Amino acid sequence: LLGVGRGIDGILLGGSLGAVMGLFEGFQAGMLREPRLLIGHAVGASWRNGASFGGFLGVYTGVKCSLIAARGGTKDVLNAGVAGALASSVGTLRTGNPAVIGGAAVMGGMI
């Protein structure tokens, strides 16, 4: 149950980071003179970036906390490695390419 709560925390943090990135992208695109466009761009980018960040952070924190609970409170590098591998591979599932998914999992687990 703790893993689900941490996963939700990750999704909320990801959405917040996505909104900030959307505003920054809008400023870079020169939308400052037209607040309506800036806000529209920020909202759109917030959903895109928030889904990416939120998905990654939600899976990572959810899996890591679930592993800690499942392993009797053991906090070690194995939990972070498995969580990183799963979180990294989730973003590549759309490709349907096993090599890309596996490569992302290996790199995510190593980082």
Side-chain angles (χ1 to χ4, degrees), residues 9-109:
D9 287 346
I11 291 169
L12 293 174
L13 178 62
S16 301
L17 289 173
V20 170
M21 286 184 65
L23 283 172
F24 185 69
E25 288 173 4
F27 285 130
Q28 281 186 325
M31 296 180 184
L32 186 59
R33 293 188 179 107
E34 296 188 40
R36 223 173 21 136
L37 287 177
L38 178 63
I39 291 170
H41 182 76
V43 168
S46 172
W47 284 108
R48 288 189 310 275
N49 294 328
S52 296
F53 280 130
F56 178 83
L57 292 174
V59 170
Y60 178 80
T61 56
V63 169
K64 185 177 173 190
C65 289
S66 296
L67 284 172
I68 290 171
R71 297 179 66 214
T74 304
K75 295 181 181 179
D76 59 9
V77 72
L78 180 65
N79 299 333
V82 170
L86 287 175
S88 296
S89 63
V90 165
T92 60
L93 290 176
R94 293 179 297 185
T95 66
N97 186 340
V100 172
I101 296 168
V106 169
M107 290 305 295

